[in-house]
Amino acid sequence: MATSSGKTSTPTPPASKRPLAKDPSSEVPSKKKSSAAPPLSLSGHFVEGSIVRILMENFLTYDICEVCPGPHLNMIIGANGTGKSSIVCAICLGLAGKPAFMGRADKVGFFVKRGCSKGMVEIELFRSSGNLIITREIDVAKNQSFWFINKKSTTQKVVEEQVAALNIQVGNLCQFLPQTSCKEKTEYLEKMVQRNERYKQDVERFYERKRHLDLIEMLEAKRPWVEYENVRQEYEEVKSARDRVKDEVRKLKDGQIPITRRIEEIEMQRHNLEAQIKAKATDIKETSQKCKQKQDVIERKDKHIEELQQALTVKQNAELDRQRRISNTRKMIEDLQNELRTTENCVNLQPQIDDITNDLRRVQDEKESCESEIIDKLKERETLEKEKKSVNDQIVQFDNLLNQKEDKLRQRYRDTYDAVLWLRNNRDKFKQGVYEPIMLMINMKDNKNAKYIENHIPSNDLRAFVFESQEDMEIFLKEVRDNKKLRVNAVIAPRNSYADRAPSRSLNELKQYGFFSYLRELFDAPAPVMSYLCSQYHIHEVPVGTERTRERIERVIQETRLKQMYTAEEKYVVKTSFYSNKVISSNTSLKVAQFLTVTVDLEQRRHLEEHLKEINRKLQAVESGLIALREKSKHLEHKDNELRQRKKELLERKNKKRQLEQKISSKLGSLKLMEQDTCNLEEEERKANTKIKEINVQKAKLVTELTNLIKICTSLHIQKVDLVLQNTTVISEKNKLESDYMAASSQLRVKEQHFIELDENRQRLLQKCKELMRRARQVCNLGAEQTVPQEYQTQVPNIPNGHSSSPPMAFQDLPNTLDEIDALLTEERSRASCFTGLNPTVVEEYTKREEEIEQLTEELKIKKVELDKYRESISQVKERWLNPLKELVEKINEKFSNFFSSMQCAGEVDLHIENEEDYDKYGIRIRVKFRSSTQLHELTPHHQSGGERSVSTMLYLMALQELNRCPFRVVDEINQGMDPINERRVFEMVVNTACKENTSQYFFITPKLLQNLPYSEKMTVLFVYNGPHMLEPNRWNLKAFQRRRRRITFTQPSQ
């Protein structure tokens, strides 16, 4: 029995793989370094070359494993991945087979267990003269193998010879079937001739293209010389222009000297005139100051006269105004006395005034009361509006949280989100309750616990709609899935509610293990949603623990017998094995919550909406009260205005007579004062005229003095104007000279700048000429001091660096301008580009093939003579081997047909020959028929099924077994794909054939077998196991295990 290590879902410390091997007697073979011969009890049954022992160390899945097969049929059974095919690989590589033959890897180093630097395979073969032990050590780093025979170093070639001597052919599929599995020269000559004919036109095109490329090369060689000549001519022109500008600059500088001297003389004359003008200006200023003083005195005299005249006029006007006011006052007194006489005596109006005053006081009190009530109502409204705003803000916050959940739903599951929008607009179509996706209905009490819910409920159910009736769900799915083509999920809540079911264990019992809640208590949801989750996912039975729970998880699993539980960061699932009753647990890390982290208290939101409705009702009542109070206040205000107007009219009637008497008395007093205030106008006029005459005498004297000063000032002005005119003439002449000087200077600067530009251009062209000359020489492969050959010469009068050169000539047949050269270059390049797909090697190959054709023609003549001789010899040899081959195929056909007949099917094997002369195409053709209604068909990958091909292959190998003697055969998973009937029949044939006396050793590898198959005493069954708790090979004892199993079986009923 062979075993290897593996892993289970329960976390355990890693264990190294320790495979075992057992023989049918269940006795554990000791781990031997070598073995000269098998046990005496077995040596009589093995045929020459059979495998007695297989030892693997650090090979594929094995750390160390020793397999001791039986002499006849060996059934190697084990689950996929346990290491069955590893034994096949060990046989192949241990007997000098190629790694590629296994179909796993092309390098032997890949067969060493990962992480190990070396591996070893040891095969012990039965031999009557003494067993043969072949050891192959594999070095991963060097990808090399080291060979040993009977623990002595040897070579692979010696091993291959020893293996071949025992008639072992690892590469022969009939013995070892792994799981993956002169005319010519004449034709060659004809092909070469045809190819040369085909390439002949390409060669001609190649040479034509080469002519165009040569012309392009000549044009590209001439172009730098022409470009150089153009730049050199431009250089000469720029140099001549620079010399001309240099002479002009010198002439302009000489012409500026006289102008500069004349400007200096005029500048001295201008300074003298400006000094004289300045002196005259000072005299004029002093004289003007004196004139100004005289004018000021005269103006003051005029002003004094004007003031006297104005004072007299004022007194005259005041007297006229007094007379007019006296007349007006007398008329007013007369009118008031007439009005007083016509006014009737007023009755006593005081009682009416008192009544109106009392009414006014009462109305004022009512107004104050009403305004006080309005203020109270306004304060109440303001308080309610603030409260309303606060409630609205809280509702908006809840809506924002709900929107966050809906946004996550829309981003991840757009179809589900669209279905939610449709449901909200079409709820009237449903008879019973319909609930939006569970992820929107669930409200976490603490968003930290969202990860438990999301890890427990699959995402398909989190986005499912919950219905209370089947009819509503069918209506919804028809509209959403069929009509709108939306991919949504829907579930039905149980008829009997599970929402309030109590858990099987009280939470108080589990708190000692660190559990703090069941999943159901972590969130709120509508009753049908909660009922569905309890029914489907048993959230009322799954507890949630802390980190303390994880630390004592083994104790929790053993003592609580919980099927599912959560710790702080992990989920544990506990199962009991159906076969062994062992408890198996698996744990997974919790994923981060994505959808349920947003917590919304829906009950609180409903209370807020009810509170908002109550606030709106109160606000409406307050508004109604305010409207009534404002109407009342408006009415009181109108009544107050009416009472005030009536009171005002009565008071005016009561005070009118007294006011008239007071006005008459006041006017009489004013009249008396105005009559007393008199003035003598004639005396005032005489005094004013006397003063005016005295002022006019003084004024005449001042005017005479002013006239003399004006004459002096005029004379000074005339002298100054004459000096200014002279200065203006001098300045004008100076400006003209300066203008001429500036014009000449500007022209000089322009010329100098032009000279600098020309000189820089000359330097640039000089460098460019040198660079073009260097490039032209480089293109023509000429050295710096080497003269230009005749074929490259062109007209060059002299070189810009100052050195003379003889005028050479070149490229006479090519264009002499850049445009013509560029045009011709473009044309030639276009022509050359038309010859695409040409390769210089084609010409070389064409020439070589021409030579080779000549050689082959001569050689074929010789080969034809030899061929005739060979044909005569072949016809003689053919008779000697073809007839025995046909007899051997006929024997195979007989065995093959018998095997198929025993299965109520038909099969044939014959020698397939397409052409008598094509010996390498001779082959074996297998034709089979699995149904009586069909004809025999050739065995191909397309006509028969996989199982039929496997049956045919197996029966063909069995037919070969008695005719082709070999020490052992290996078949890996040949029964895969067979139907049960054929697999049973083939198995019976294998057992009957392989368990006969003196038959080859047989290895049959399979991961599974049918039940109740026939077995032979000569069979050996090797089981391959793996797991983390495998025993060491020396501790394996099958009898002890059987006794222990019997004890367990006897004790189970009493428990």
mmCIF file of all heavy atoms in Angstrom, residues 701-725:
data_model
loop_
_atom_site.group_PDB
_atom_site.id
_atom_site.type_symbol
_atom_site.label_atom_id
_atom_site.label_comp_id
_atom_site.label_asym_id
_atom_site.label_seq_id
_atom_site.Cartn_x
_atom_site.Cartn_y
_atom_site.Cartn_z
ATOM 1 N N LYS A 701 -5.806 160.665 -10.097
ATOM 2 C CA LYS A 701 -4.359 160.709 -9.861
ATOM 3 C C LYS A 701 -3.735 159.321 -10.065
ATOM 4 O O LYS A 701 -2.680 159.163 -10.688
ATOM 5 C CB LYS A 701 -4.093 161.212 -8.459
ATOM 6 C CG LYS A 701 -2.634 161.401 -8.145
ATOM 7 C CD LYS A 701 -2.461 161.937 -6.739
ATOM 8 C CE LYS A 701 -0.973 162.086 -6.422
ATOM 9 N NZ LYS A 701 -0.776 162.591 -5.037
ATOM 10 N N LEU A 702 -4.403 158.266 -9.586
ATOM 11 C CA LEU A 702 -3.891 156.897 -9.716
ATOM 12 C C LEU A 702 -3.877 156.459 -11.173
ATOM 13 O O LEU A 702 -2.951 155.760 -11.617
ATOM 14 C CB LEU A 702 -4.744 155.932 -8.895
ATOM 15 C CG LEU A 702 -4.640 156.075 -7.366
ATOM 16 C CD1 LEU A 702 -5.704 155.258 -6.678
ATOM 17 C CD2 LEU A 702 -3.255 155.631 -6.895
ATOM 18 N N VAL A 703 -4.837 156.871 -11.981
ATOM 19 C CA VAL A 703 -4.910 156.487 -13.393
ATOM 20 C C VAL A 703 -3.751 157.063 -14.171
ATOM 21 O O VAL A 703 -3.154 156.405 -15.044
ATOM 22 C CB VAL A 703 -6.256 156.910 -14.008
ATOM 23 C CG1 VAL A 703 -6.250 156.762 -15.526
ATOM 24 C CG2 VAL A 703 -7.400 156.100 -13.418
ATOM 25 N N THR A 704 -3.343 158.336 -13.860
ATOM 26 C CA THR A 704 -2.203 158.953 -14.542
ATOM 27 C C THR A 704 -0.925 158.165 -14.257
ATOM 28 O O THR A 704 -0.125 157.871 -15.166
ATOM 29 C CB THR A 704 -2.036 160.405 -14.065
ATOM 30 O OG1 THR A 704 -3.262 161.110 -14.319
ATOM 31 C CG2 THR A 704 -0.898 161.090 -14.784
ATOM 32 N N GLU A 705 -0.698 157.772 -13.038
ATOM 33 C CA GLU A 705 0.491 156.994 -12.679
ATOM 34 C C GLU A 705 0.478 155.625 -13.379
ATOM 35 O O GLU A 705 1.514 155.141 -13.860
ATOM 36 C CB GLU A 705 0.545 156.813 -11.160
ATOM 37 C CG GLU A 705 0.750 158.123 -10.400
ATOM 38 C CD GLU A 705 0.706 157.933 -8.900
ATOM 39 O OE1 GLU A 705 0.374 156.759 -8.480
ATOM 40 O OE2 GLU A 705 0.978 158.880 -8.146
ATOM 41 N N LEU A 706 -0.697 155.003 -13.486
ATOM 42 C CA LEU A 706 -0.812 153.684 -14.117
ATOM 43 C C LEU A 706 -0.477 153.755 -15.603
ATOM 44 O O LEU A 706 0.190 152.880 -16.162
ATOM 45 C CB LEU A 706 -2.229 153.133 -13.915
ATOM 46 C CG LEU A 706 -2.540 151.775 -14.573
ATOM 47 C CD1 LEU A 706 -1.610 150.706 -14.028
ATOM 48 C CD2 LEU A 706 -4.002 151.400 -14.333
ATOM 49 N N THR A 707 -0.875 154.868 -16.260
ATOM 50 C CA THR A 707 -0.616 155.041 -17.698
ATOM 51 C C THR A 707 0.881 155.084 -17.965
ATOM 52 O O THR A 707 1.388 154.465 -18.923
ATOM 53 C CB THR A 707 -1.295 156.306 -18.210
ATOM 54 O OG1 THR A 707 -2.708 156.238 -17.931
ATOM 55 C CG2 THR A 707 -1.091 156.466 -19.715
ATOM 56 N N ASN A 708 1.648 155.797 -17.148
ATOM 57 C CA ASN A 708 3.105 155.880 -17.321
ATOM 58 C C ASN A 708 3.762 154.495 -17.164
ATOM 59 O O ASN A 708 4.668 154.133 -17.928
ATOM 60 C CB ASN A 708 3.683 156.863 -16.310
ATOM 61 C CG ASN A 708 3.219 158.302 -16.593
ATOM 62 O OD1 ASN A 708 2.941 158.657 -17.755
ATOM 63 N ND2 ASN A 708 3.123 159.113 -15.560
ATOM 64 N N LEU A 709 3.314 153.731 -16.182
ATOM 65 C CA LEU A 709 3.894 152.395 -15.963
ATOM 66 C C LEU A 709 3.592 151.472 -17.148
ATOM 67 O O LEU A 709 4.440 150.655 -17.557
ATOM 68 C CB LEU A 709 3.335 151.781 -14.670
ATOM 69 C CG LEU A 709 3.830 152.417 -13.354
ATOM 70 C CD1 LEU A 709 3.067 151.864 -12.160
ATOM 71 C CD2 LEU A 709 5.323 152.160 -13.189
ATOM 72 N N ILE A 710 2.419 151.574 -17.751
ATOM 73 C CA ILE A 710 2.043 150.724 -18.890
ATOM 74 C C ILE A 710 2.937 151.019 -20.081
ATOM 75 O O ILE A 710 3.357 150.107 -20.813
ATOM 76 C CB ILE A 710 0.557 150.923 -19.244
ATOM 77 C CG1 ILE A 710 -0.330 150.317 -18.120
ATOM 78 C CG2 ILE A 710 0.212 150.280 -20.578
ATOM 79 C CD1 ILE A 710 -1.795 150.600 -18.273
ATOM 80 N N LYS A 711 3.256 152.310 -20.318
ATOM 81 C CA LYS A 711 4.133 152.681 -21.432
ATOM 82 C C LYS A 711 5.516 152.052 -21.243
ATOM 83 O O LYS A 711 6.106 151.496 -22.188
ATOM 84 C CB LYS A 711 4.259 154.192 -21.530
ATOM 85 C CG LYS A 711 2.987 154.880 -22.010
ATOM 86 C CD LYS A 711 3.174 156.406 -22.043
ATOM 87 C CE LYS A 711 1.904 157.101 -22.547
ATOM 88 N NZ LYS A 711 2.051 158.584 -22.544
ATOM 89 N N ILE A 712 6.050 152.123 -20.002
ATOM 90 C CA ILE A 712 7.372 151.527 -19.740
ATOM 91 C C ILE A 712 7.321 150.007 -19.992
ATOM 92 O O ILE A 712 8.209 149.421 -20.614
ATOM 93 C CB ILE A 712 7.800 151.818 -18.291
ATOM 94 C CG1 ILE A 712 8.017 153.342 -18.091
ATOM 95 C CG2 ILE A 712 9.080 151.058 -17.930
ATOM 96 C CD1 ILE A 712 8.213 153.751 -16.652
ATOM 97 N N CYS A 713 6.254 149.336 -19.534
ATOM 98 C CA CYS A 713 6.122 147.876 -19.673
ATOM 99 C C CYS A 713 6.014 147.482 -21.147
ATOM 100 O O CYS A 713 6.594 146.490 -21.590
ATOM 101 C CB CYS A 713 4.891 147.406 -18.902
ATOM 102 S SG CYS A 713 4.724 145.609 -18.835
ATOM 103 N N THR A 714 5.319 148.317 -21.939
ATOM 104 C CA THR A 714 5.166 148.025 -23.380
ATOM 105 C C THR A 714 6.501 148.068 -24.071
ATOM 106 O O THR A 714 6.829 147.223 -24.917
ATOM 107 C CB THR A 714 4.194 149.021 -24.016
ATOM 108 O OG1 THR A 714 2.922 148.966 -23.328
ATOM 109 C CG2 THR A 714 3.989 148.715 -25.492
ATOM 110 N N SER A 715 7.337 149.088 -23.753
ATOM 111 C CA SER A 715 8.659 149.212 -24.343
ATOM 112 C C SER A 715 9.516 147.987 -24.016
ATOM 113 O O SER A 715 10.200 147.432 -24.895
ATOM 114 C CB SER A 715 9.337 150.487 -23.830
ATOM 115 O OG SER A 715 10.663 150.571 -24.304
ATOM 116 N N LEU A 716 9.456 147.513 -22.769
ATOM 117 C CA LEU A 716 10.229 146.326 -22.376
ATOM 118 C C LEU A 716 9.753 145.082 -23.143
ATOM 119 O O LEU A 716 10.554 144.232 -23.547
ATOM 120 C CB LEU A 716 10.113 146.099 -20.863
ATOM 121 C CG LEU A 716 10.810 147.144 -19.962
ATOM 122 C CD1 LEU A 716 10.449 146.917 -18.505
ATOM 123 C CD2 LEU A 716 12.324 147.071 -20.150
ATOM 124 N N HIS A 717 8.461 144.965 -23.359
ATOM 125 C CA HIS A 717 7.914 143.817 -24.090
ATOM 126 C C HIS A 717 8.401 143.797 -25.538
ATOM 127 O O HIS A 717 8.727 142.729 -26.072
ATOM 128 C CB HIS A 717 6.380 143.844 -24.063
ATOM 129 C CG HIS A 717 5.803 143.150 -22.850
ATOM 130 N ND1 HIS A 717 5.866 141.805 -22.640
ATOM 131 C CD2 HIS A 717 5.149 143.663 -21.758
ATOM 132 C CE1 HIS A 717 5.294 141.479 -21.503
ATOM 133 N NE2 HIS A 717 4.830 142.622 -20.931
ATOM 134 N N ILE A 718 8.476 145.004 -26.163
ATOM 135 C CA ILE A 718 8.938 145.063 -27.554
ATOM 136 C C ILE A 718 10.387 144.590 -27.642
ATOM 137 O O ILE A 718 10.753 143.817 -28.537
ATOM 138 C CB ILE A 718 8.782 146.503 -28.085
ATOM 139 C CG1 ILE A 718 7.280 146.836 -28.206
ATOM 140 C CG2 ILE A 718 9.482 146.671 -29.437
ATOM 141 C CD1 ILE A 718 7.011 148.314 -28.512
ATOM 142 N N GLN A 719 11.217 145.058 -26.682
ATOM 143 C CA GLN A 719 12.616 144.629 -26.681
ATOM 144 C C GLN A 719 12.732 143.107 -26.473
ATOM 145 O O GLN A 719 13.541 142.418 -27.119
ATOM 146 C CB GLN A 719 13.368 145.366 -25.572
ATOM 147 C CG GLN A 719 13.465 146.884 -25.789
ATOM 148 C CD GLN A 719 14.087 147.609 -24.603
ATOM 149 O OE1 GLN A 719 14.643 146.960 -23.716
ATOM 150 N NE2 GLN A 719 13.987 148.952 -24.587
ATOM 151 N N LYS A 720 11.899 142.562 -25.600
ATOM 152 C CA LYS A 720 11.943 141.125 -25.326
ATOM 153 C C LYS A 720 11.524 140.313 -26.545
ATOM 154 O O LYS A 720 12.125 139.280 -26.887
ATOM 155 C CB LYS A 720 11.030 140.805 -24.133
ATOM 156 C CG LYS A 720 11.010 139.314 -23.787
ATOM 157 C CD LYS A 720 10.055 139.024 -22.650
ATOM 158 C CE LYS A 720 9.998 137.517 -22.378
ATOM 159 N NZ LYS A 720 9.010 137.200 -21.343
ATOM 160 N N VAL A 721 10.475 140.802 -27.250
ATOM 161 C CA VAL A 721 9.990 140.088 -28.438
ATOM 162 C C VAL A 721 11.074 140.043 -29.492
ATOM 163 O O VAL A 721 11.274 139.025 -30.171
ATOM 164 C CB VAL A 721 8.718 140.772 -28.982
ATOM 165 C CG1 VAL A 721 8.372 140.244 -30.370
ATOM 166 C CG2 VAL A 721 7.548 140.541 -28.034
ATOM 167 N N ASP A 722 11.814 141.166 -29.648
ATOM 168 C CA ASP A 722 12.899 141.192 -30.629
ATOM 169 C C ASP A 722 13.957 140.136 -30.289
ATOM 170 O O ASP A 722 14.436 139.397 -31.161
ATOM 171 C CB ASP A 722 13.519 142.600 -30.653
ATOM 172 C CG ASP A 722 14.592 142.707 -31.731
ATOM 173 O OD1 ASP A 722 14.327 142.236 -32.860
ATOM 174 O OD2 ASP A 722 15.690 143.188 -31.413
ATOM 175 N N LEU A 723 14.317 140.031 -28.987
ATOM 176 C CA LEU A 723 15.298 139.021 -28.563
ATOM 177 C C LEU A 723 14.760 137.601 -28.775
ATOM 178 O O LEU A 723 15.490 136.678 -29.185
ATOM 179 C CB LEU A 723 15.671 139.232 -27.089
ATOM 180 C CG LEU A 723 16.459 140.501 -26.772
ATOM 181 C CD1 LEU A 723 16.572 140.711 -25.269
ATOM 182 C CD2 LEU A 723 17.851 140.432 -27.401
ATOM 183 N N VAL A 724 13.458 137.398 -28.487
ATOM 184 C CA VAL A 724 12.856 136.071 -28.659
ATOM 185 C C VAL A 724 12.865 135.646 -30.119
ATOM 186 O O VAL A 724 13.140 134.490 -30.456
ATOM 187 C CB VAL A 724 11.426 136.061 -28.088
ATOM 188 C CG1 VAL A 724 10.688 134.790 -28.499
ATOM 189 C CG2 VAL A 724 11.447 136.173 -26.576
ATOM 190 N N LEU A 725 12.618 136.606 -31.008
ATOM 191 C CA LEU A 725 12.638 136.291 -32.439
ATOM 192 C C LEU A 725 14.033 135.868 -32.876
ATOM 193 O O LEU A 725 14.194 134.899 -33.646
ATOM 194 C CB LEU A 725 12.169 137.496 -33.253
ATOM 195 C CG LEU A 725 10.652 137.810 -33.164
ATOM 196 C CD1 LEU A 725 10.339 139.125 -33.880
ATOM 197 C CD2 LEU A 725 9.834 136.682 -33.746
#
